[in-house]
Amino acid sequence: MKKFENYGKENPLGKFEDVKYLGNNQGKQLYVIVVGESTNRKHFSLYNNYHRNTTPLLSEIKDELHLFTDVISPHTYTIGSLSKALTLGNYENPEGKYQGTIIQLFNQANFKTYWVSSQRPIGMMDTHVMKIGTSAQNFMFLNTKHTSRRTPYDINLVDKLKDIVKEDGDKKVVFLHMLGTHMNYKRRYPNEFEVFTDTPRTKFKRAKAYEAINAYDNAVRYNDYVLREIIETVRNSRLNGYVLYFSDHGQEVFDKMDFQGHTIDEETTTNMYEIPMFLWKTNYDDSTYFDGFQLNRKYMIDDLIHSIADISKIKSKQIDTTRSIFNEAFKERERIVKDTINFDTYFFRE
């Protein structure tokens, strides 16, 4: 618990050194980072590899999206993933997560910071993430219910974002933490998104599998709606900035294993690691920024703090541009999951 004090409102700045914002300060900046939940890249039809159209609204603007095709999470559960993705921690330096978070970095760069979450701020499974979020100057949690119950829908995040857009501030960064496609899938979307009711494709031919897959795909479809609303809110704001979306980890939904959900790094499948991630930009200042995206780079989100800092034009002694998927200097590295296993050789060996 003492280590947690390095995260939250007790320490809004972290241990970053020589922090500088490299943007040109012309016009107001709005950066939105959307943290998804339990979203399987295979079921995200924006990638054109799924038999159902689960992302019709994002597909309409696919030409505007930088869609990264080979991104994974370092763990198959939220705390393991986000306590690395949003901090200086990674598999080479796990203790780095106590040295600084991306929100603390934005605070040092004089951004107005927001953390808005659809996940309840109680319980051991959310402690790390809650502490990271509470280092924001403005934080709010929109849900107090367990995910086994019907919770407030993620569209509430859009309503809060619309309010934030109207607030004063020349440089704002907003983290939106979704409930996304978290179990219980059927309770993650309203009735009007009950689109898929037919028999899905799966090798596990039984009613439980069919019901779970249909509910999950409906939740992905609702996720698509919320993400498009977030993008349009930023577009309509006429501010300069971007929307970055990624999921904390994936999900197994009767694809490779007779199972739905995810484990805490126990028996795993690639679907629990492989996640969707895309970037959308508007009125963005490219003068200090590399735009030659290579969308098929092998990437693991334990380096995400470096990528977010880079795309946000923030420099610090602790930020390494060779770890930014957005940077010309990016270097691929071994993707070690469960702290010891090389993802690319273990799961894809002959």
Side-chain angles (χ1 to χ4, degrees):
M1 292 306 295
K2 277 191 169 295
K3 287 185 175 181
F4 290 163
E5 293 176 5
N6 292 316
Y7 282 155
K9 57 187 177 182
E10 301 92 344
N11 180 16
L13 299 180
K15 297 180 180 180
F16 296 97
E17 302 170 88
D18 302 329
V19 176
K20 296 179 182 178
Y21 173 66
L22 302 179
N24 61 19
N25 290 311
Q26 294 180 359
K28 295 184 177 182
Q29 310 296 313
L30 176 63
Y31 304 155
V32 179
I33 293 98
V34 186
V35 183
E37 169 68 59
S38 301
T39 303
N40 175 330
R41 189 166 73 218
K42 176 182 175 63
H43 288 247
F44 213 75
S45 66
L46 189 64
Y47 285 87
N48 296 321
N49 63 350
Y50 195 56
H51 67 282
R52 286 171 161 172
N53 187 10
T54 57
T55 58
L57 299 177
L58 290 174
S59 295
E60 286 179 356
I61 59 169
K62 187 172 183 177
D63 290 346
E64 301 178 31
L65 304 176
H66 299 284
L67 185 66
F68 295 91
T69 61
D70 196 359
V71 178
I72 66 168
S73 172
H75 296 283
T76 59
Y77 61 104
T78 299
I79 283 182
S81 171
L82 293 186
S83 64
K84 289 181 178 177
L86 301 178
T87 74
L88 288 168
N90 51 43
Y91 81 84
E92 297 98 334
N93 179 28
E95 290 298 300
K97 66 184 179 182
Y98 300 115
Q99 296 169 5
T101 73
I102 186 60
I103 295 178
Q104 291 170 326
L105 181 63
F106 274 111
N107 286 338
Q108 278 216 40
N110 296 315
F111 274 74
K112 193 171 183 179
T113 53
Y114 298 82
W115 178 273
V116 188
S117 177
S118 285
Q119 303 210 12
R120 66 175 187 164
I122 51 179
M124 281 305 296
M125 293 305 292
D126 194 45
T127 303
H128 286 68
V129 182
M130 182 196 74
K131 292 293 287 186
I132 291 171
T134 56
S135 64
Q137 296 157 15
N138 307 275
F139 56 87
M140 57 197 83
F141 297 88
L142 309 181
N143 172 38
T144 58
K145 294 182 179 180
H146 191 272
T147 54
S148 63
R149 302 172 64 189
R150 187 167 293 280
T151 52
Y153 298 123
D154 278 332
I155 195 63
N156 289 352
L157 296 172
V158 180
D159 296 335
K160 291 298 181 183
L161 178 61
K162 289 178 179 178
D163 292 338
I164 291 168
V165 166
K166 298 174 186 176
E167 293 184 8
D168 293 335
D170 291 336
K171 295 187 299 181
K172 290 184 279 193
V173 60
V174 185
F175 290 81
L176 301 176
H177 191 192
M178 307 177 80
L179 258 179
T181 54
H182 195 292
M183 292 179 69
N184 183 324
Y185 312 136
K186 196 171 181 65
R187 295 181 176 177
R188 302 286 82 82
Y189 57 90
N191 292 335
E192 57 266 34
F193 282 84
E194 189 80 26
V195 176
F196 304 112
T197 58
D198 59 333
T199 301
R201 297 179 189 174
T202 178
K203 62 183 178 181
F204 303 104
K205 310 293 185 183
R206 55 195 180 94
K208 180 181 178 181
Y210 299 155
E211 181 181 348
I213 295 167
N214 283 345
Y216 188 77
D217 288 346
N218 289 327
V220 175
R221 183 117 173 185
Y222 181 65
N223 200 69
D224 168 71
Y225 164 69
V226 174
L227 288 170
R228 179 66 185 272
E229 287 293 303
I230 290 169
I231 288 172
E232 295 309 318
T233 297
V234 177
R235 190 198 305 273
N236 293 335
S237 74
R238 301 183 181 276
L239 300 175
N240 307 318
Y242 65 78
V243 175
L244 174 65
Y245 165 76
F246 69 97
S247 182
D248 59 352
H249 55 79
Q251 192 89 163
E252 176 63 39
V253 195
F254 297 101
D255 294 306
K256 297 182 177 182
M257 183 178 174
D258 190 8
F259 178 78
Q260 61 170 320
H262 60 93
T263 63
I264 302 180
D265 283 347
E266 295 156 359
E267 186 175 1
T268 59
T269 67
T270 55
N271 292 320
M272 297 183 194
Y273 292 104
E274 293 175 336
I275 56 174
M277 180 171 131
F278 65 74
L279 176 73
W280 177 88
K281 301 182 299 177
T282 179
N283 303 321
Y284 190 84
D285 167 33
D286 290 329
S287 62
T288 60
Y289 172 67
F290 171 67
D291 199 20
F293 291 119
Q294 297 174 34
L295 301 176
N296 63 347
R297 288 172 160 176
K298 293 183 183 297
Y299 185 71
M300 187 163 69
I301 60 169
D302 64 342
D303 274 345
L304 194 63
I305 186 173
H306 303 279
S307 296
I308 294 175
D310 188 29
I311 194 72
S312 305
K313 296 167 285 197
I314 298 174
K315 182 180 178 181
S316 167
K317 184 177 179 180
Q318 283 71 31
I319 296 301
D320 182 354
T321 55
T322 68
R323 291 177 177 266
S324 168
I325 196 172
F326 305 122
N327 200 284
E328 188 175 18
F330 174 76
K331 295 179 181 178
E332 289 188 355
R333 55 195 264 265
E334 286 187 336
R335 299 193 289 185
I336 305 299
V337 299
K338 298 171 71 169
D339 294 323
T340 60
I341 294 174
N342 185 313
F343 176 84
D344 296 293
T345 58
Y346 178 80
F347 285 104
F348 300 102
R349 62 191 187 278
E350 294 182 356

